[in-house]
Structures are given as C-alpha cells and as structure tokens.
Amino acid sequence: MSTHAADARPLMSRKSGRLQGAVVVPGDKSISHRALILGALAEGRTRITGLLEAEDILCTARALEALGAGVERDADGAWTVTGRGLGGLAAPAGDLDFGNSGTGARLMMGVVAGHPLAARFTGDASLQKRPMGRVLAPLQSMGLAIEEEGRNTLPLTLVGTGDLVPISYRLPVPSAQVKSAVLLAGLFASGETSVIESEKSRDHTEKMLRYFGAEISVEPFEGGLRIALEGRRTLKGQPVAVPGDPSSAAFLVAAALITPASDILVKNVLVNPTRTGFYETLAEMGADISFENEREVSGEPVADIRARTSELRGVTVPAARAPSMIDEYPMLAALATLAEGETLMEGLAELRVKESDRLAAMVDGLVACGAIAHARGDTLTVLGLPKVRGGATIKTHMDHRIAMSFLVLGLATEEPVTVDDASMIATSFPEFRTLMQQVGATLDEPGQASNEARGKDHK
C-alpha cells in the first residue's frame, strides 16, 4: 500500500552540464524553531529576519499561536513574536499539529511541560511513527504527565505543571532535541537543571538561551560536556537574524561537486562546528570547497561556501562525527557512488528513526540506480563507480532528504532519476527546485520532460 497521497508529485532530474552562480538558501531550520519558541517565552517582542518559511517551522508558529503567543509575518518578510513570558502560555482550544516536524514536537514538549495545561500533540502519518520516548522520559521525571500511559508515539495528550522539578540528566545517546527539550523545561523549574552529553551535539539552544538572557553554563565534564541552566530567570525578546541552513546548502554544494565545470557560491550559511561534519568529510574526500567571508551573526558563525567540480575519493566517516552531520548522510551516500573506492559511514543507528528508515531507503534507492551499497547494523557501505546508471523511480517514503539526495544524484547519472513524490520537500526546503534550476540544474515533472524531448525531435 502506498504511503503517498493521491496528489503525490513526482519529479525527475537529468544529467546536467555546468552549474554556476551565487545563491542564498533559506534560513536554518534548527535556529528558526528555537527563535520562535524563545521569542514566545520571553518578555517583549522578538523580531526575526531570515526565518525559514517551510512547513515544519510554520507548524511550530501555529502551535505557539494556539498557546497564546503572538506570531505575525510583517510586510517586509520579517516575523514578530510577542512573548508571554515564562509560564504565560495558555491551554490550546484544539490539537497541536506538528505535521512532519519531529524537532518542533519534541522541543515544544519541553515548553508544555512547564505550564499547568493539557495539550494534545499530533502530526502526519510519518511523525506518528517516530518514537518520542527518549524525550518524554526525562520530562516525566521533571513532572510532565501523559494521559495515554504506556505509549510513546503521537498522538499524545501531555499535561504540564507549574511546579517542575529540576534534574541532572545524562543523555543515553547524543541528541540535540532531547537536550533542548530538557533545557527548555528547565526554564520553568526552581533551581539548576543540567544535561550531560558524552558527545557534543548541535548547541543552538544553549547559544540562543544565553542570547535571550538565560543563566546557562557549558563546561567539560567526564570527557564530555555538562550544560547547566538556572530556572525561572526572565528572558527578554531579542532581534534574531537566521543564517542559511547548512543542511539545505549541502544539496547545492553536492550538485556542484559532481557536475562538470561547476562553480557555486552559497552565501550566508551557518557554519557552527556542531553542524559542519558534512563539509569536513567532503574535504577529506578531496572536494574543492572553501569557507569565505567568515563572520558572526546573532551569536552564530556564518560564512559563504564555495564548491567546484571535484574528483572524490572514498573515506571512512567515524561514528563520532554523526551528531554534526546526521541530516547529510543521505546526500553523502549518493555522492559516495561517484567517489573512487569505498566509503564507510559508521554509527548511523539514528537514521533508522528519522522521517523514514533512511538507511534502508538509501540502500534500496542506490541499488535501484545501479550503485553498490549495503547496510549492516549501523554501518552503511558504498562502493564508488566510474559511472552510475540511474534510470530508477525512487520510493521516498515521504522523506524530504531522500527526495532531494536522489534528485541531486540524477544530475550525474547516465539516465534520469525520478522520485515518486517531491511534495514533502516543502517541509524543510521549499525553494529547492527553484534554486537548483537557477544554477542550471535540469529538474522536470516526468511528463513535462517527455514533452520537451518530443518537441526537440520535431524542430
């Protein structure tokens, strides 16, 4: 049975010539979620420029509105959030629907935990399959209640409290979402809430909490880090400039690397070290990439990323790098099909519980395209080939990153690559097709491509 709606929109990519140009990708998804949420918890107004206007972010905005915060898009494209202060949100009249957004749902669980209200969390069919237990366990130890006892998937009715208990929580596996949910809940607890992580995960929540005035410290601890937050400290609304999303930039960078004579500049991209594992790996593979015009914006490091056509070689990507590039593995796996030698990607258990089982989806899709790939345990192995056939229709399983990764691969395969549905790309990167075409990539609806080909035959 298909997991796609009747209005699924297939999209096809074809072998491309030179890609060139300077582009700006939409705002970073992680920072966009957090700017909205902290703006709603702060006193006063928060003006956000560069907010990612993708469905995932809009779901978070609608949830905050349903809880009583003011969230408005201004005429100039900026967003203004009118905060309610800590503990000031109100019970929603209906469900909080997070669509496909695991980040929005999990972070908002930490927010709702600190309010004496009940809220029913739900989402689309994909999100309802994703486990929430790792976030709910520490929040329950702080005082959150769940009406559907024993369940850990949406829909769930969460019952918060104005008397959360501070905890010291050691993350069982690196997870910025779990860490962030606990820290957000810690804002409402009396005393110090701390999170201990053995491996550093993306730290946007810590940076933004400090930027909004929270009392937070990050110190080395037993080979990892201890993040400690003092609860019940007033947050003040701040201006936030959201830099470009490095996970979105990855698709344009990858396209430049595998198409002939290409040179693309992606401007104003977040280059926080907790998010640049993909670019570090590309450098090890021999990619011609560079960070230019490095600077700091709203407390985050930003740069322009230049990428040019490159001869890539296979590498081993250690498990320790997974937290800094967890969203980029599908794109890396596609690139590895064209790299000389073998590429091993280790420590990818987290990919099995993303929007889809990304390990299985990537292997199935790559093999369908004539590539050599297999997964054993949490390790993905891809053997590079001089040419990759393509010519397949890829099952995306409603996963935006699977769709975009195979559309990029299709720019370099011998035959076109089609994805069965491109509609969900809008959850994270609604401008994907436009920007790819802007630099010269060939992306068409399958029927449109056939019609164009027939038209050329008659000329």
Side-chain angles (χ1 to χ4, degrees):
M1 185 174 71
S2 173
T3 57
H4 293 273
D7 59 351
R9 296 198 297 273
L11 191 61
M12 184 174 77
S13 60
R14 290 181 281 159
K15 198 163 189 176
S16 176
R18 182 183 188 190
L19 305 181
Q20 59 182 322
V23 296
V24 177
V25 294
D28 181 72
K29 188 163 73 158
S30 295
I31 293 177
S32 293
H33 280 300
R34 289 158 173 82
L36 288 170
I37 290 170
L38 289 184
L41 300 180
E43 295 183 355
R45 294 189 173 185
T46 292
R47 179 174 163 82
I48 308 169
T49 55
L51 185 84
L52 173 64
E53 294 183 0
E55 189 58 31
D56 280 11
I57 303 303
L58 298 179
C59 285
T60 294
R62 287 191 286 264
L64 291 167
E65 274 193 301
L67 291 163
V71 184
E72 295 182 4
R73 189 183 193 277
D74 303 331
D76 62 358
W79 288 70
T80 298
V81 182
T82 304
R84 296 291 302 266
L86 286 182
L89 297 178
D95 291 354
L96 301 182
D97 187 342
F98 292 92
N100 191 243
S101 180
T103 300
R106 291 177 177 128
L107 267 57
M108 287 297 294
M109 286 176 177
V111 172
V112 166
H115 289 82
L117 58 84
R120 187 174 185 266
F121 282 53
T122 189
D124 67 12
S126 172
L127 186 60
Q128 289 186 25
K129 295 176 183 175
R130 298 173 67 181
M132 299 292 164
R134 283 193 315 203
V135 177
L136 294 171
L139 296 179
Q140 285 178 283
S141 70
M142 297 177 78
L144 176 71
I146 303 170
E147 286 190 1
E148 298 83 0
E149 197 170 334
R151 279 186 56 185
N152 71 347
T153 55
L154 302 184
L156 290 170
T157 304
L158 308 188
V159 182
T161 173
D163 296 307
L164 284 183
V165 178
I167 60 170
S168 177
Y169 186 70
R170 182 182 291 274
L171 291 172
V173 296
S175 171
Q177 293 179 359
V178 177
K179 173 177 65 175
S180 297
V182 173
L183 291 174
L184 288 170
L187 288 169
F188 306 95
S190 179
E192 182 185 86
T193 293
S194 63
V195 178
I196 299 163
E197 55 181 6
S198 57
E199 296 176 30
K200 188 176 178 66
S201 61
R202 57 183 66 178
D203 59 359
H204 308 305
T205 301
E206 298 94 301
K207 286 179 177 292
M208 195 168 288
L209 279 167
R210 186 176 292 115
Y211 183 63
F212 274 75
E215 190 174 325
I216 187 169
S217 63
V218 182
E219 297 175 348
F221 185 82
E222 296 180 356
L225 292 172
R226 181 177 183 271
I227 304 100
L229 174 81
E230 281 294 328
R232 301 191 178 175
R233 298 293 192 268
T234 299
L235 305 181
K236 294 289 187 182
Q238 301 291 339
V240 179
V242 182
D245 194 319
S247 298
S248 297
F251 298 107
L252 287 141
V253 167
L257 298 179
I258 60 175
T259 51
S262 295
D263 184 349
I264 292 178
L265 183 70
V266 189
K267 302 176 74 173
N268 193 44
V269 181
L270 175 74
V271 291
N272 182 308
T274 66
R275 300 285 299 282
T276 54
F278 177 70
Y279 300 99
E280 183 180 344
T281 302
L282 292 183
E284 292 174 359
M285 297 175 78
D288 184 356
I289 59 171
S290 58
F291 289 179
E292 303 176 0
N293 190 23
E294 296 186 60
R295 56 207 184 274
E296 187 171 294
V297 177
S298 297
E300 292 277 4
V302 173
D304 303 335
I305 302 178
R306 172 159 252 127
R308 300 180 178 91
T309 308
S310 305
E311 296 291 329
L312 302 176
R313 57 179 176 271
V315 296
T316 296
V317 188
R321 197 175 295 167
S324 68
M325 58 178 294
I326 195 67
D327 289 333
E328 287 76 61
Y329 279 109
M331 189 65 260
L332 180 63
L335 285 179
T337 66
L338 296 162
E340 182 181 354
E342 187 177 73
T343 297
L344 265 68
M345 291 158 265
E346 300 172 338
L348 305 189
E350 184 74 9
L351 291 189
R352 295 202 183 275
V353 292
K354 300 297 274 185
E355 282 82 339
S356 66
D357 180 343
R358 283 184 177 160
L359 268 183
M362 284 307 300
V363 170
D364 290 347
L366 293 176
V367 170
C369 287
I372 301 172
H374 65 266
R376 288 182 183 162
D378 62 358
T379 297
L380 175 60
T381 303
V382 179
L383 182 63
L385 299 170
K387 294 180 179 180
V388 175
R389 183 190 72 242
T393 296
I394 305 301
K395 294 181 180 178
T396 59
H397 304 283
M398 298 175 66
D399 191 317
H400 51 127
R401 299 199 191 278
I402 297 295
M404 289 185 281
S405 297
F406 278 100
L407 288 170
V408 171
L409 178 61
L411 302 177
T413 54
E414 298 304 296
E415 300 173 26
V417 171
T418 302
V419 299
D420 63 359
D421 188 3
S423 62
M424 88 298 292
I425 290 174
T427 65
S428 69
F429 193 175
E431 297 88 344
F432 170 78
R433 182 178 180 180
T434 301
L435 291 181
M436 292 293 287
Q437 290 175 325
Q438 183 179 320
V439 298
T442 308
L443 300 177
D444 310 291
E445 283 84 10
Q448 176 186 343
S450 299
N451 292 335
E452 286 177 1
R454 281 195 292 272
K456 290 176 183 176
D457 289 342
H458 290 296
K459 287 181 181 176

